[in-house]
């Protein structure tokens, strides 16, 4: 099954649910361009998220969904609100959505949890997931240990539901590689940050465009909450303190409000500039529709060429 058959979208692509970035308006733009747009719940309570969902509904007649971070303090109210708003696609992260699954499924929603291991993928399928998103550590923001190329085929082999690939995907070649490894489609985030429609600060976009292949680092491993971000003054200070064995309170003080500083204020020095490793591939600010069209067309070309390769 192709992802687009499951979602009713033009392309087998999901826009990542990036906290403080994936607003209702941005999700609608991605849906209108052919992907499954997602409104992100990160940093919102139920009523704030409801408002963004309604904005999305007002700006697109295409399928869209919501990404629910299960660590959100208002998670119970958000889970209930998603039923009230009849959200048809729900992706989840940072936890097990099992206790909400019946209500969501009874309402008719399809649920795609993000997983970083085979074990978690199996748990999610037992809980009732319609598909899982296997996300490698190349991705931006919160990451796991395994790479997409190693995680994806193992998850595909372990579960009997469709598997969506995420992490390290920003081109047709990378999308094609994911499909060759058994994915039904892909979820992308970093490559959409440099779209014209993305609501992040211009400084953020320019930083990504100027980024080299080794521009990112991972903070928070010592706290069990690794996050991939662009290297800057804040990241270097965090890593130094982490190496010295600083406690959680001291480390959290450095990152408090960091994502908002980057997204809204354009602070590239002390902000948390979340990005995947594909940032080194980004070269220009373009419309979402152009980014998606090029990726999907490129993937089709690569897969056609692959069929003629002799080993």
């Amino acid at each position: 099954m192709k992802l687009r058959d499951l979602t009713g979208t033009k392309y087998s692509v999901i826009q990542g649910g990036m906290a403080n970035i994936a607003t209702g308006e941005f999700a609608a733009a991605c849906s209108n361009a052919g992907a499954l747009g997602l409104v992100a719940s990160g940093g919102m309570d139920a009523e704030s998220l409801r408002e963004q969902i309604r904005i999305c509904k007002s700006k697109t007649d295409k399928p869209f969904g919501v990404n629910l971070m299960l660590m959100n303090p208002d998670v119970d109210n958000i889970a209930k609100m998603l039923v009230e708003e009849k959200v048809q696609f729900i992706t989840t992260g940072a936890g097990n959505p099992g206790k909400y699954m019946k209500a969501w499924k009874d309402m008719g929603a399809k649920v795609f949890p993000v997983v970083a291991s085979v074990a978690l993928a199996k748990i999610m399928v037992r809980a009732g997931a319609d598909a899982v998103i296997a996300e490698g550590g190349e991705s931006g923001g919160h990451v796991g240990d395994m790479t997409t190329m190693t995680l994806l085929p193992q998850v595909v082999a372990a579960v009997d539901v469709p598997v969506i690939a995420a992490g390290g995907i920003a081109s047709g070649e990378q999308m094609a590689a994911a499909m060759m490894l058994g994915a039904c489609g892909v979820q992308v985030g970093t490559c959409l940050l440099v779209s014209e429609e993305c609501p992040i600060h211009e400084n953020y976009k320019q930083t990504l465009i100027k980024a080299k292949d080794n521009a990112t680092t991972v903070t928070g491993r010592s706290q069990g909450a690794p996050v991939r971000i662009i290297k800057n003054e804040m990241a270097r200070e965090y890593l130094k303190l982490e190496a010295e064995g600083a406690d959680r309170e001291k480390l959290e003080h450095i990152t408090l409000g960091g994502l908002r500083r980057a997204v809204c204020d354009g602070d590239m020095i002390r902000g948390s500039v979340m990005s995947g490793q594909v940032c080194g591939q980004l070269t220009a600010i373009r419309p979402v529709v152009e980014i998606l069209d090029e990726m999907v067309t490129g993937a089709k070309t690569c897969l056609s060429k692959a069929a003629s390769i002799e080993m």
Side-chain angles (χ1 to χ4, degrees), residues 45-296:
D45 60 19
E47 292 311 307
S48 299
L49 183 59
R50 189 195 302 271
E51 180 181 350
Q52 291 300 315
I53 290 169
R54 292 182 175 179
I55 288 172
C56 190
K57 287 178 180 178
S58 74
K59 292 183 177 295
T60 187
D61 60 357
K62 302 293 192 296
F64 75 93
V66 168
N67 170 257
L68 176 55
M69 285 295 288
L70 294 162
M71 291 189 300
N72 189 305
D74 203 29
V75 62
D76 288 341
N77 289 327
I78 291 175
K80 181 180 177 183
M81 182 273 294
L82 296 180
V83 175
E84 295 167 354
E85 292 295 321
K86 296 181 170 55
V87 174
Q88 293 301 294
F89 299 94
I90 301 168
T91 69
T92 66
N96 186 339
K99 73 175 186 175
Y100 310 117
M101 196 70 80
K102 185 179 187 303
W104 290 344
K105 300 297 284 292
D106 287 349
M107 178 264 292
K110 291 184 172 66
V111 185
F112 309 152
V114 175
V115 301
S117 69
V118 169
L120 184 56
K122 289 180 177 179
I123 292 170
M124 295 297 99
V125 172
R126 287 198 295 270
D130 296 279
V132 294
I133 302 170
E135 183 176 71
E138 301 97 319
S139 60
H142 295 276
V143 296
D145 291 327
M146 294 183 70
T147 65
T148 303
M149 193 166 189
T150 52
L151 174 66
L152 175 59
Q154 293 182 66
V155 172
V156 169
V159 300
D160 58 0
V161 300
V163 180
I164 300 148
I169 300 167
S171 69
E173 291 86 353
Q174 287 161 328
M175 182 177 184
M179 307 300 274
M180 292 291 286
L181 290 172
C184 70
V186 300
Q187 176 174 284
V188 297
T190 301
C191 66
L192 298 178
L193 291 176
V194 294
S195 65
E196 291 178 356
E197 296 88 344
C198 186
I200 63 175
H201 197 282
E202 182 68 17
N203 292 353
Y204 201 141
K205 295 182 183 183
Q206 292 300 325
T207 294
L208 294 176
I209 288 171
K210 294 173 185 175
K212 305 299 182 184
D213 58 337
N214 64 346
T216 68
T217 188
V218 177
T219 60
R221 290 197 189 278
S222 66
Q223 304 303 306
V227 177
R228 184 175 297 283
I229 59 175
I230 294 285
K231 297 171 185 174
N232 62 5
E233 182 181 293
M234 184 276 289
R236 285 188 286 272
E237 181 182 349
Y238 189 106
L239 290 170
K240 180 175 180 293
L241 289 172
E242 200 170 19
E244 294 171 352
D247 60 25
R248 180 180 294 272
E249 184 178 354
K250 191 168 186 178
L251 292 170
E252 286 183 348
H253 177 73
I254 295 173
T255 58
L256 186 64
L259 182 57
R260 186 166 294 277
R261 285 196 298 274
V263 170
C264 301
D265 303 335
D267 185 349
M268 298 294 101
I269 298 173
R270 302 295 302 176
S272 182
V273 189
M274 294 188 184
S275 169
Q277 289 182 312
V278 296
C279 58
Q281 298 172 225
L282 309 178
T283 59
I285 297 172
R286 300 182 292 161
V288 167
V289 67
E290 187 176 316
I291 295 170
L292 294 176
D293 285 349
E294 182 180 284
M295 180 184 297
V296 175

